[in-house]
Amino acid sequence: MEKPKQDRLGRLLLQNNLITEDQLNEAVIEHDGTGKSLGKVLIDNGMLTEGQLTSVLAEQIGIGYADLGTYKVDPAAATLIDADLARRHMVCPIDYQDGKLVVAMADPTNVFALDDMRIMTGMEVLPVVSTRDDIEAVIGRYLHSGAEIDEALDEVGLEVLEEEEEKDEEELKEAGEEAPIVKYVNLIISEAVNENASDVHIEPSENDVRVRYRIDGVLHEIRRSPKKIHPGLVSRLKILAEMNIAERRLPQDGRFTTNTGDKDVDLRVASLPTVYGEKMVLRILDRSSLIISLTDLGMEEGPLELFTTSFEKPYGTCIVTGPTGSGKTTTMYAALSRLNRREVNVITVEDPVEYQMHGLNQVQVNTKVGLTFAASLRSILRCDPDIVMIGEIRDAESAKMAIESALTGHMVLCTLHTNDAPSAVTRMIEMGVEPFLIASAVDSVVSQRLARRLCTRCREEADHEPEYLEKVGFSLDDLEDVVIYKAKKGGCPFCNHSGYRGRIGLYEVMTVSEDIEKLVVDVATAHEIGRLVQEKGMKTLRQDGLEKVRKGVTSIEEVLRVVM
């Protein structure tokens, strides 16, 4: 009998010890008899997996192979294209390498797909080969098309969403557990995480439901959905957050954990009754995104040294100030990550505990049972702490206890809502703390804001008049050979067409010197304290922002948006 002819693919498979010669001969005979490709025959007969075949084909044409089952996909890369394009060409960006976009492709010879990817992303493409199933799984995990959202909405059954007021608790629970509603909620959460949103707002109006994401501190309207889905949507979120689904007259709070892609995400849920129904807000607490390096947060070398020296003392008070959403909690955790050692007892009291850090004793405030900040502090001080972190000073009692704790040999880190660093001192005096105690206990005050980073892929050189630059605070002598950038109108796919991607902190760090202590004891105004610390070299929030403009990190418009 004549021996079957073995082609190049067969020889490669034999060389890699993926099949035996008998298996190859058997497959070649079937290939000749049926006309099916040799690779398909081997896979159909269980002699070879699709991944093994793809890796050999990649080697044959000189292109790398990516096993997406184990590859750590970069979500920022994956979401650069939409799901429709990805499925049409069976491609998906998975990483960045040497300034190029690494793209997994089922067919790396598809020049049309490569051209579409270059045009859509504005980047050079480095193709790698992956199996169709693996690419489909990555697309399903990281990308959702508008068609999928619409499909989920269409699937929502009308019978579970009519006459909200007439539903009892059991009916509302059933509405929240309907498969289309579950799918829709999962898509919203997954999409928000992939877009790096910090909050999701679900807002009912008279005729529809608006869904908005807060991305880099700015709200973006994503879509409007039919009003009929609102009861089921609210019920689903309440079930997940273990809230009372029958109570629609009072605000409620809850939280839950879900898995999106390759990571667990904590979500804090709040409901608020409005005239058109309950508004739901989801705060996304991504554990993996908790930055624990003060340098990465954007603090310049000088202010960083002052702040670090302050909180590494054995006792005293460090206050972090700023409005809600300015990154105070992240700064506090960045400091705690440096202080968190085996030989120290660190206790925190927070409302809520947003991030759980190994090695800390974290206390969740519960006002319903009387566990307030002040009550927690009284108990904490009987538990032999070295370092105490107070999530927020809200009243006179907790302010006094924080200061007294510092004076009795503890390092206290706390937050306060003020507009700048000097105002923190006068705010505590207004809360009833004696000025001489503040002067003795407070070591430093950090005021901060979060500004959006310019997209490095599409930022443009700005053409500002010299008079304008001087007006906002620049010295023209300092701008020689410096390029000022601005956000490109319409942006690019990398920044979701906003011109910005990510955020960076703006800081002012005020250390309490002897001269400042005298002003505090004399109950000086915040303006007087601020003037003195600036004379001593403190950079204000605006000056720190303008320094980051000089470095090309952000724009003048963004600094002026977040700083007065």
Side-chain angles (χ1 to χ4, degrees):
M1 180 179 176
E2 185 181 350
K3 190 175 182 180
K5 184 181 178 181
Q6 299 174 348
D7 64 5
R8 186 182 177 193
L9 173 61
R11 292 195 300 274
L12 281 170
L13 293 171
L14 286 174
Q15 289 168 12
N16 286 277
N17 297 317
L18 293 174
I19 58 174
T20 65
E21 190 158 346
D22 288 343
Q23 287 175 322
L24 176 58
N25 290 335
E26 181 184 335
V28 169
I29 291 170
E30 185 175 339
H31 159 66
D32 291 339
T34 62
K36 288 198 297 185
S37 69
L38 181 61
K40 183 164 178 56
V41 171
L42 289 166
I43 292 171
D44 288 347
N45 291 338
M47 301 174 186
L48 198 67
T49 67
E50 188 183 356
Q52 289 171 325
L53 176 62
T54 305
S55 64
V56 170
L57 290 172
E59 181 184 339
Q60 189 176 0
I61 61 177
I63 293 179
Y65 169 72
D67 181 0
L68 299 185
T70 57
Y71 196 96
K72 190 172 182 180
V73 176
D74 186 341
T79 53
L80 281 179
I81 66 171
D82 61 52
D84 297 328
L85 175 68
R87 287 199 173 94
R88 184 165 70 249
H89 293 307
M90 199 46 62
V91 298
C92 188
I94 58 172
D95 210 345
Y96 300 102
Q97 184 177 316
D98 300 328
K100 296 181 180 179
L101 185 66
V102 182
V103 178
M105 306 181 69
D107 178 11
T109 63
N110 186 342
V111 293
F112 299 107
L114 291 168
D115 286 343
D116 284 352
M117 295 290 290
R118 289 191 192 98
I119 293 168
M120 175 165 275
T121 64
M123 298 181 67
E124 282 299 309
V125 174
L126 180 63
V128 294
V129 182
S130 297
T131 68
R132 297 180 71 88
D133 288 345
D134 283 351
I135 292 174
E136 183 66 53
V138 171
I139 293 171
R141 189 181 308 139
Y142 293 101
L143 300 176
H144 301 294
S145 67
E148 287 179 278
I149 299 287
D150 293 339
E151 181 184 341
L153 288 173
D154 291 340
E155 290 175 1
V156 175
L158 297 178
E159 69 277 3
V160 299
L161 298 169
E162 294 173 347
E163 300 176 6
E164 177 184 2
E165 295 301 326
E166 296 181 8
K167 290 181 181 294
D168 59 23
E169 184 173 348
E170 193 60 37
E171 289 175 315
L172 285 167
K173 188 173 181 180
E174 288 176 6
E177 291 178 345
E178 284 290 320
I181 281 291
V182 172
K183 180 180 178 182
Y184 184 53
V185 169
N186 291 344
L187 284 171
I188 287 177
I189 294 171
S190 177
E191 184 181 48
V193 171
N194 289 338
E195 294 286 351
N196 293 317
S198 60
D199 302 86
V200 177
H201 291 246
I202 297 169
E203 304 163 319
S205 62
E206 185 177 4
N207 301 313
D208 56 19
V209 179
R210 179 171 63 171
V211 179
R212 294 194 290 173
Y213 298 161
R214 188 177 294 279
I215 301 171
D216 293 336
V218 178
L219 278 171
H220 300 268
E221 183 174 321
I222 304 301
R223 69 182 56 83
R224 288 182 179 265
S225 305
K227 183 67 180 284
K228 63 189 179 186
I229 78 163
H230 182 252
L233 196 54
V234 170
S235 296
R236 176 60 184 166
L237 291 171
K238 285 185 175 182
I239 289 168
L240 289 170
E242 298 183 349
M243 296 157 68
N244 182 355
I245 61 174
E247 178 56 76
R248 286 164 285 175
R249 300 163 299 173
L250 297 173
Q252 295 185 68
D253 295 295
R255 65 187 302 160
F256 66 95
T257 300
T258 189
N259 181 275
T260 61
D262 299 322
K263 57 188 176 185
D264 290 330
V265 176
D266 292 330
L267 292 106
R268 200 171 75 220
V269 184
S271 70
L272 181 70
T274 71
V275 291
Y276 294 117
E278 288 179 279
K279 171 181 170 126
M280 306 295 290
V281 178
L282 285 67
R283 167 63 59 90
I284 299 172
L285 307 170
D286 183 358
R287 299 175 194 172
S288 65
S289 69
L290 179 61
I291 303 172
I292 54 175
S293 165
L294 286 165
T295 307
D296 291 341
L297 291 174
M299 199 173 282
E300 300 289 338
E301 188 175 343
L304 174 59
E305 186 177 349
L306 292 173
F307 183 44
T308 304
T309 302
S310 177
F311 69 69
E312 286 184 342
K313 290 180 180 178
Y315 56 86
T317 306
C318 294
I319 304 173
V320 181
T321 76
T324 301
S326 60
K328 299 188 298 295
T329 301
T330 306
T331 300
M332 298 280 273
Y333 275 101
L336 286 176
S337 70
R338 294 184 63 153
L339 298 172
N340 187 18
R341 302 185 302 274
R342 283 186 179 182
E343 61 269 23
V344 297
N345 179 20
V346 183
I347 305 179
T348 76
V349 51
E350 306 167 67
D351 183 23
V353 175
E354 293 193 3
Y355 299 99
Q356 295 175 10
M357 184 180 286
H358 180 71
L360 304 187
N361 302 283
Q362 295 172 276
V363 178
Q364 167 75 56
V365 167
N366 188 345
T367 54
K368 293 179 181 177
V369 297
L371 187 62
T372 61
F373 277 103
S376 301
L377 273 172
R378 281 193 294 271
S379 299
I380 283 172
L381 295 177
R382 293 193 288 269
C383 294
D384 187 32
D386 297 295
I387 299 164
V388 178
M389 192 269 266
I390 306 169
E392 185 181 338
I393 291 181
R394 294 179 178 174
D395 52 46
E397 188 177 4
S398 55
K400 290 176 183 176
M401 293 195 70
I403 295 298
E404 289 169 2
S405 300
L407 292 172
T408 53
H410 304 92
M411 169 49 64
V412 179
L413 301 172
C414 57
T415 70
L416 197 62
H417 285 287
T418 63
N419 289 327
D420 56 21
S423 299
V425 174
T426 55
R427 175 80 181 104
M428 295 195 81
I429 293 174
E430 290 167 1
M431 294 175 83
V433 183
E434 293 291 342
F436 71 91
L437 293 177
I438 297 172
S440 302
V442 177
D443 285 297
S444 69
V445 182
V446 178
S447 183
Q448 67 179 83
R449 300 289 189 278
L450 289 177
R452 292 180 292 173
R453 290 178 181 265
L454 283 168
C455 175
T456 54
R457 303 274 166 81
C458 66
R459 64 182 184 180
E460 296 179 334
E461 187 173 339
D463 185 22
H464 296 299
E465 294 293 332
E467 294 79 9
Y468 175 74
L469 294 174
E470 283 188 309
K471 184 179 179 181
V472 298
F474 277 113
S475 168
L476 295 184
D477 295 335
D478 296 335
L479 290 177
E480 291 184 14
D481 302 321
V482 172
V483 178
I484 304 294
Y485 291 98
K486 66 178 181 179
K488 179 182 178 181
K489 189 174 181 180
C492 68
F494 184 71
C495 60
N496 203 20
H497 304 286
S498 67
Y500 296 94
R501 186 177 178 90
R503 288 193 285 179
I504 191 167
L506 311 183
Y507 299 91
E508 63 180 28
V509 179
M510 181 184 84
T511 54
V512 181
S513 61
E514 287 187 13
D515 292 338
I516 303 300
E517 286 181 14
K518 291 176 184 176
L519 286 181
V520 174
V521 171
D522 292 339
V523 196
T525 64
H527 178 71
E528 292 170 327
I529 296 172
R531 187 169 55 201
L532 179 59
V533 292
Q534 286 181 56
E535 288 173 2
K536 289 184 170 294
M538 183 193 83
K539 277 189 175 181
T540 64
L541 284 167
R542 177 176 284 202
Q543 288 169 339
D544 189 50
L546 295 180
E547 180 62 28
K548 290 177 171 68
V549 170
R550 280 171 46 85
K551 293 180 177 180
V553 177
T554 189
S555 65
I556 293 176
E557 294 77 13
E558 183 64 10
V559 171
L560 297 180
R561 183 183 72 86
V562 298
V563 179
M564 290 189 297

